Amino acid sequence: MAELRGALIGCGFFAVNQMHAWRDIEGASIVAVCDRDPERLCIVGDQFGIAKRYADAAELFASERLDFVDIATTAPSHRPLVEMAARYRVPVICQKPFAPTLADAKAMVKACSDAGVPLMVHENFRWQSPIQAVRAVLDSGKIGTPFFGRVSFRSAYDVFSGQPYLAKGKRFIIEDLGIHSLDIARFLLGDVSTITTRTVRINPDIAGEDVATMLMDHKNGATSVVDCSYATKLAVEPFPETLIEIDGSDGTIRLAQGYRLTVTGKSGTKIIDVSPPLLPWASRPWHNIQESVVAIQQHWVDCLAKGTEPATSGADNLQTFALVEAAYLGAQSHEPVHLDALLK
Ligand code: NAD
Ligand code: 89V
């Protein structure tokens, strides 16, 4: 099969990881980059040797023959850019958070579906190898039927120096980080019927909440707790590790700090090191996230080749995004929020 021709829109902080990953992936390459900021366009264009550069996405779509576009801008621009891709019939990857609102996200899914254009949300955390390892244990049946889960991300890492916009939004940790944890909970325990949320802001220098605790009823009867914090100072900083506990009818799974996976089943306990590999271009502590970028982008190329729907398609991500919206509603009302009503 001929190599897929892709373009990257948004050459900021995280896009550099996506560009490295595209270089590692067989079957696709980035032929053009776009950013409205000339400095970022120049930095990324030069670093990855991309000669075709556009300041305006409309010009990019009008000028290039593309097999896909990878949108790595922040959320406010996602809807117009995804809808533009749909108009040009170009398959599209969109970074998380999918959109500023659930209404926007639904409209983006509809635009791509009406145009017959594949749409994947770059929801990469479930692609981290330690999380995939947890999923594999569940699939093996070793712990029986899961009835409880905890997905936990607690840290005091300074995310604001790399991503200063995170300090400014009225919504912070659920929209930016909790969205990953909520998606992992769905990935491991299935879709959710009800969510109850409490939030608090500890850091006085930011606008949004930096601590969130969520209790969820999954449709299969399991209960989970998703908790995240950027105000938790620990002896050893765990960023960006997601810690997981799952209790099942026949045993338990614990993914502990240091990528230590403990599985207890009917035949005893096994402890496995599930540390992610350090790719040649990656740097600690981000290597876990960086490896997952390669995995999700490879998945996209495989899906385009086979004509299958990506695991985190736009339609799938509506379920995760609805949890974000529901969490904010519930944090305000202090009432449980039913997902079905939001997803209608
Ligand atoms: P950033 O602000 O550093 O980069 C965004 C870039 O997009 C900027 O250079 C900006 O000029 C450009 N841009 C914005 N609107 C544009 C438009 N309409 N046309 C062309 N260029 C435009 O942001 P970032 O930290 O790289 O984050 C980008 C996205 O990636 C965010 O949605 C963020 O949540 C997400 N992110 C995801 C992960 C992950 O693991 N999945 C990690 C970090 C960030
Ligand atoms: O993955 C993300 O979206 C990042 C970070 C891990 C720093 O929260 O913003």
Side-chain angles (χ1 to χ4, degrees):
M1 209 180 97
E3 184 151 275
L4 298 173
R5 295 166 53 84
L8 175 87
I9 305 178
C11 299
F13 169 78
F14 199 71
V16 174
N17 297 311
Q18 294 171 224
M19 289 299 289
H20 276 295
W22 287 125
R23 263 206 316 214
D24 283 359
I25 287 167
E26 303 250 329
S29 62
I30 297 297
V31 298
V33 288
C34 169
D35 199 300
R36 61 187 181 195
D37 174 348
E39 200 183 334
R40 289 306 307 174
L41 190 59
C42 180
I43 289 172
V44 171
D46 286 357
Q47 183 178 354
F48 294 93
I50 312 290
K52 292 194 170 171
R53 301 176 189 182
Y54 296 86
D56 178 6
E59 243 178 79
L60 165 81
F61 282 109
S63 312
E64 295 291 333
R65 184 183 61 72
L66 297 172
D67 297 311
F68 72 94
V69 66
D70 188 10
I71 297 173
T73 61
T74 45
S77 53
H78 287 176
R79 181 171 174 182
L81 291 172
V82 166
E83 289 180 345
M84 199 181 292
R87 281 198 300 282
Y88 280 91
R89 302 275 193 279
V90 175
V92 53
I93 309 173
C94 178
Q95 253 298 350
K96 53 58 68 177
F98 194 10
T101 69
L102 184 58
D104 288 325
K106 285 179 180 170
M108 291 151 77
V109 171
K110 184 172 183 316
C112 289
S113 159
D114 290 351
V117 159
L119 164 63
M120 179 177 84
V121 178
H122 186 119
E123 178 42 78
N124 52 323
F125 269 40
R126 65 161 79 176
W127 285 99
Q128 292 172 8
S129 47
I131 309 293
Q132 291 283 326
V134 171
R135 178 74 244 183
V137 176
L138 283 174
D139 290 343
S140 74
K142 281 193 183 98
I143 71 153
T145 306
F147 60 85
F148 170 82
R150 179 177 175 208
V151 178
S152 179
F153 186 106
R154 310 194 78 79
S155 163
Y157 187 81
D158 172 22
V159 283
F160 309 109
S161 56
Q163 297 164 266
Y165 57 90
L166 294 178
K168 295 184 189 130
K170 278 204 182 124
R171 293 177 166 193
F172 168 43
I173 201 167
I174 299 174
E175 182 182 77
D176 183 67
L177 185 278
I179 197 168
H180 292 307
S181 315
L182 292 165
D183 189 70
I184 289 170
R186 280 190 56 231
F187 176 57
L188 298 176
L189 294 172
D191 281 337
V192 173
S193 52
T194 316
I195 181 168
T196 304
T197 307
R198 299 290 181 269
T199 58
V200 66
R201 175 164 57 83
I202 301 297
N203 181 346
D205 300 326
I206 66 170
E209 83 292 349
D210 53 0
V211 179
T213 310
M214 293 158 272
L215 172 70
M216 308 204 291
D217 297 306
H218 292 261
K219 288 186 174 169
N220 60 9
T223 305
S224 71
V225 174
V226 172
D227 58 290
C228 42
S229 163
Y230 272 124
T232 300
K233 299 174 180 70
L234 292 156
V236 180
E237 172 53 60
F239 181 89
E241 288 185 52
T242 299
L243 309 185
I244 291 176
E245 298 174 12
I246 299 181
D247 294 1
S249 51
D250 295 335
T252 54
I253 302 172
R254 295 291 182 268
L255 176 60
Q257 190 168 346
Y259 301 110
R260 205 178 70 252
L261 182 65
T262 304
V263 181
T264 301
K266 282 182 171 161
S267 51
T269 294
K270 206 170 162 187
I271 301 176
I272 316 157
D273 178 359
V274 289
S275 298
L278 180 67
L279 297 173
W281 50 268
S283 53
R284 292 178 193 278
W286 287 84
H287 62 301
N288 183 23
I289 293 177
Q290 288 165 319
E291 187 220 1
S292 72
V293 171
V294 179
I296 193 171
Q297 292 181 186
Q298 182 65 63
H299 175 63
W300 169 252
V301 171
D302 295 344
C303 287
L304 284 187
K306 290 187 207 137
T308 51
E309 182 168 324
T312 58
S313 64
D316 175 85
N317 200 259
L318 286 182
Q319 299 279 340
T320 295
F321 198 83
L323 283 170
V324 170
E325 200 105 317
Y328 282 112
L329 285 171
Q332 247 185 349
S333 67
H334 271 224
E335 297 287 340
V337 177
H338 298 277
L339 270 297
D340 285 349
L342 282 179
L343 281 162
K344 264 184 208 152

